[in-house]
Amino acid sequence: MNRKQPLVSVVIPNYNYGRALELCLRAALAQTYEPLEVLLIDDCSTDDSVAVAEACGVRVISTGVNSGVATTRNTGAAHARGEIIVFVDSDVAMEPDAVANAVALLDSDPRIGAVCGTYDAEPLIRDSLVEEYRCLHQFYWLAETEGRIGTLHTAICAMPARVFAEIGPFNPRLRHTEDGDYAARICRSYEVHSSTAVRGRHDHDDTWRVVLRKVFHRTRLHIPLYVRRGDLPGGIATGPRAGASVAALLALLTLPLGLIAPPWLLAPAALLAFTLLADTALHRFVLRRRGPLFAAYFAFTHTVVNAVIAAGAGVGVLQWLASRRFRRLYEPGEHLAPVRAAG
């Protein structure tokens, strides 16, 4: 006799993502797995998100006050009836078998406390070249780190409800790094696995301003966590990738020296070569998939993003040295008020 399948609660935190929300909800409702409930947790959106969800027949729960994604996920977990919770960002449309594959992986080993999904190589909504860059970059590094990981990707993330209750809620004080904080906590007791069998299409950020602002502040706000850990968690945050980011920033900073004396151009040229060679496999992947013209655009964009990551890390280190409150950002109980990114 087959064992009864556990109820899965798909919890979708949302704030003003009405544009992609219908695709997300319909993908959640079309999952091959049963039994399943879908909950939209709306963080007081000002667009048509609630109307979109209601038109899809999805239950909507409001946070009451705009509070950030950590509080929104916590609210969803509090209302979920399932034995397994699958958090899905409202700009991600899961493949039909994503939930079934996540449940199977959780069931395969009791040591696994969370299963994280990956992104497809194609965006959910195609808008801009910088979005194409983000899509291919994140597809590559998520697929590259398949298996046990030391971090948490919450765009698609499945975990037993008992594990969530044991580890506790996401820290509502954090606006950009709540997943990194949760990863540090859950990895003390359980394994976290990433799987390309749990996949979805993501409506990535589509403007330079949003992309650069996001990578800057996420890097800056991760610095106290990395210091507390004493290492980098892997994935996109590794020693070689950190070195490539520093080299990219130094290449841009030393470029003006060539205007003073042309021989000085050797310095930024060497630094640029280093940052490109550090991601040789990534650039080869993009070249094979999209051809030389887009590969050149990708390399330029990746260099700029790397430089901004290094700048964010530098500012984060300075904040860590100057601010006791910033150093205590990830200490237990430090969630009196949400930390908001500047700009």
Side-chain angles (χ1 to χ4, degrees):
M1 186 174 180
N2 291 332
R3 181 168 61 90
K4 184 180 178 181
Q5 291 274 77
L7 173 65
V8 168
S9 297
V10 177
V11 171
I12 303 173
N14 174 76
Y15 176 67
N16 285 351
Y17 270 100
R19 177 170 175 267
L21 185 58
E22 183 175 355
L23 296 172
C24 168
L25 294 176
R26 295 204 180 281
L29 292 168
Q31 290 297 300
T32 59
Y33 182 90
E34 292 181 348
L36 178 142
E37 67 172 355
V38 178
L39 307 176
L40 180 80
I41 316 302
D42 188 69
D43 199 19
C44 301
S45 294
T46 58
D47 65 358
D48 63 345
S49 292
V50 172
V52 168
E54 290 175 343
C56 291
V58 171
R59 180 186 175 194
V60 178
I61 299 166
S62 175
T63 57
V65 178
N66 181 262
S67 306
V69 70
T71 295
T72 310
R73 290 197 190 104
N74 295 340
T75 302
H79 285 83
R81 297 183 297 115
E83 293 177 52
I84 295 174
I85 301 171
V86 179
F87 295 106
V88 181
D89 285 355
S90 56
D91 55 358
V92 174
M94 293 184 290
E95 293 296 318
D97 59 355
V99 169
N101 291 337
V103 172
L105 189 52
L106 284 172
D107 193 50
S108 69
D109 190 338
R111 294 173 298 180
I112 300 176
V115 170
C116 300
T118 58
Y119 294 141
D120 194 85
E122 298 296 327
L124 180 61
I125 302 173
R126 196 177 299 274
D127 290 308
S128 67
L129 286 177
V130 73
E131 181 179 32
E132 302 277 340
Y133 157 78
R134 288 287 280 174
C135 190
L136 286 172
H137 178 222
Q138 295 199 7
F139 165 80
Y140 179 86
W141 75 260
L142 284 172
E144 182 188 45
T145 57
E146 184 170 24
R148 186 176 180 180
I149 57 176
T151 184
L152 195 75
H153 313 309
T154 48
I156 306 175
C157 180
M159 68 176 67
R162 60 172 176 78
V163 171
F164 184 84
E166 177 186 340
I167 302 303
F170 289 92
N171 187 339
R173 189 175 183 234
L174 304 174
R175 288 279 182 143
H176 283 275
T177 56
E178 76 290 336
D179 49 355
D181 170 72
Y182 206 87
R185 289 155 53 197
I186 194 173
C187 285
R188 296 189 192 112
S189 304
Y190 296 95
E191 295 181 8
V192 175
H193 284 238
S194 176
S195 173
T196 56
V198 183
R199 184 177 290 185
R201 288 198 175 193
H202 183 208
D203 184 26
H204 293 267
D205 300 316
D206 57 10
T207 67
W208 276 84
R209 177 176 176 271
V210 172
V211 168
L212 297 183
R213 182 181 64 186
K214 185 173 288 187
V215 298
F216 177 86
H217 288 298
R218 283 183 174 175
T219 306
R220 176 179 67 85
L221 292 168
H222 267 100
I223 293 301
L225 182 61
Y226 294 160
V227 172
R228 284 177 64 84
R229 287 177 56 114
D231 64 357
L232 295 172
I236 201 167
T238 64
R241 285 182 172 136
S245 294
V246 172
L249 180 60
L250 291 175
L252 294 180
L253 292 176
T254 57
L255 188 60
L257 294 176
L259 300 177
I260 302 171
W264 279 102
L265 286 174
L266 291 174
L271 290 165
L272 180 60
F274 175 83
T275 193
L276 292 174
L277 288 172
D279 275 315
T280 299
L282 169 63
H283 293 299
R284 285 176 177 167
F285 161 75
V286 174
L287 180 62
R288 289 193 304 269
R289 191 173 184 96
R290 295 294 300 272
L293 190 60
F294 184 83
Y297 171 82
F298 185 97
F300 167 76
T301 306
H302 194 52
T303 300
V304 173
V305 169
N306 269 338
V308 172
I309 288 172
V315 172
V317 168
L318 292 176
Q319 277 190 274
W320 186 87
L321 292 171
S323 170
R324 181 173 178 269
R325 181 172 181 267
F326 191 70
R327 288 194 295 273
R328 297 180 60 191
L329 194 56
Y330 299 94
E331 290 185 9
E334 287 294 308
H335 45 261
L336 300 177
V339 172
R340 301 173 187 271

